[in-house]
Amino acid sequence: MSNDVTSHADGTVLVSRSDRVCMVTLNRPDKLNAFTPAMFRALEELAGALATDSTTRVLVFRGAGGRAFAAGADIGAFTTFDSTDDAVAYEAGIVRTVRAVQHLPQVTLAVIEGLAVGGGLALATACDLRIATTGSRVGYPIAATLGNCLSDAVLERCVAAFGESLVREMILTARLLDIGRAYAAGAVLQVVDPAELDGAVTELTERMAHLSPGTQLSTKRILDALAAGTDTDNERHIRKVYGSPDFSGAVRAFLAKEKPVFRADLDLDS
């Protein structure tokens, strides 16, 4: 990963880049990387910039310190609420961040070490994929802590990852879910020993960064449309992917028994 690190939200969000991969680190280890409103805004702004970045292929989110991906929200933010209008605005900010990450053209990966609860799980389930360390736990224990509720967009993404039964269990019982059960449910693609995590993340991101962007992005866009019950624009995706130099080049490479080389700048959203 590049040593060129940019700092956002007073250093609580760090961004570094290497070839085709962007790493975002939530950097409040002393607070288990609990989210402040400024951190949500920083992630929303970053997603806005990446939405038109055709050279970045994989976006990775992880938490600093090794104890948590992110342990919910910074409760101090709620002491500034003057009315329920503030609560609506706060939840709307989370939804904007979740939606912005969900709809990114890049493949997104959440790296879970330790706890991923509340806002941390909201971000993790906004991602396409999740990898975790043994012993990690996830959930929304809000019925036992603040007694607040989740927005529909956050619940939607959690159900998409875990299934409705496990989401009901997590929230209605306020129990954290062992990562083994999350893996069994298909919500996590891999569970590794903490000592093996960095290597597993590097292997996975390097692999995904050099796969077909046409396959990846068309799949993301069609799945999002199916989930939303909107037009998949399927024919347009087929025409753009099959009509791309990537496809014709890959066919030639396959017949020549060579490895295909996919471009990093294919734009299917135009």
Side-chain angles (χ1 to χ4, degrees):
M1 189 59 63
S2 168
N3 291 324
D4 183 17
V5 179
T6 58
S7 174
H8 306 263
D10 295 326
T12 57
V13 175
L14 304 177
V15 180
S16 58
R17 299 171 185 269
S18 64
D19 180 33
R20 301 187 179 195
V21 178
C22 178
M23 177 77 73
V24 178
T25 302
L26 307 176
N27 188 39
R28 296 185 77 206
D30 57 323
K31 300 292 185 181
L32 298 179
N33 305 315
F35 276 102
T36 64
M39 292 170 70
F40 280 120
R41 289 194 297 272
L43 293 184
E44 182 185 357
E45 291 169 4
L46 174 64
L50 286 170
T52 56
D53 180 356
S54 60
T55 61
T56 298
R57 295 280 301 282
V58 180
L59 176 61
V60 181
F61 295 95
R62 66 186 306 174
R67 293 191 298 158
F69 177 67
D74 188 323
I75 307 305
F78 301 136
T79 64
T80 65
F81 286 8
D82 292 324
S83 72
T84 53
D85 289 341
D86 294 319
V88 171
Y90 175 81
E91 289 292 332
I94 297 175
V95 169
R96 286 195 304 271
T97 301
V98 167
R99 290 299 195 207
V101 171
Q102 176 188 349
H103 295 306
L104 279 170
Q106 293 84 9
V107 178
T108 52
L109 173 69
V111 180
I112 300 173
E113 293 180 86
L115 294 174
V117 299
L121 187 54
L123 175 60
T125 54
C127 292
D128 297 309
L129 303 168
R130 288 151 292 280
I131 187 171
T133 54
T134 53
S136 294
R137 294 186 298 163
V138 301
Y140 286 107
I142 54 177
T145 54
L146 300 182
N148 59 324
C149 63
L150 302 178
S151 296
D152 53 0
V154 173
L155 280 170
E156 176 189 31
R157 291 302 297 172
C158 197
V159 169
F162 288 89
E164 185 177 332
S165 294
L166 278 184
V167 174
R168 286 181 182 270
E169 177 183 333
M170 281 192 289
I171 299 176
L172 300 184
T173 69
R175 292 175 178 170
L176 297 183
L177 193 70
D178 177 82
I179 206 65
R181 290 191 67 196
Y183 176 76
V188 175
L189 68 90
Q190 190 175 1
V191 179
V192 300
D193 185 85
E196 300 172 354
L197 180 62
D198 288 346
V201 170
T202 298
E203 180 182 3
L204 181 60
T205 55
E206 288 183 352
R207 173 179 175 79
M208 294 191 299
H210 291 86
L211 297 176
S212 163
T215 299
Q216 292 169 332
L217 182 54
S218 61
T219 299
K220 284 173 59 98
R221 291 294 180 254
I222 292 171
L223 286 175
D224 281 346
L226 288 172
T230 57
D231 181 11
T232 62
D233 205 5
N234 192 57
E235 183 176 326
R236 184 177 71 87
H237 285 293
I238 291 173
R239 290 184 185 279
K240 293 211 66 167
V241 173
Y242 275 80
S244 71
D246 269 2
F247 176 73
S248 56
V251 170
R252 287 193 299 270
F254 184 89
L255 294 175
K257 301 185 185 304
E258 299 172 349
K259 185 177 180 179
V261 176
F262 297 108
R263 299 186 310 169
D265 59 353
L266 180 62
D267 181 11
L268 292 179
D269 287 337
S270 62

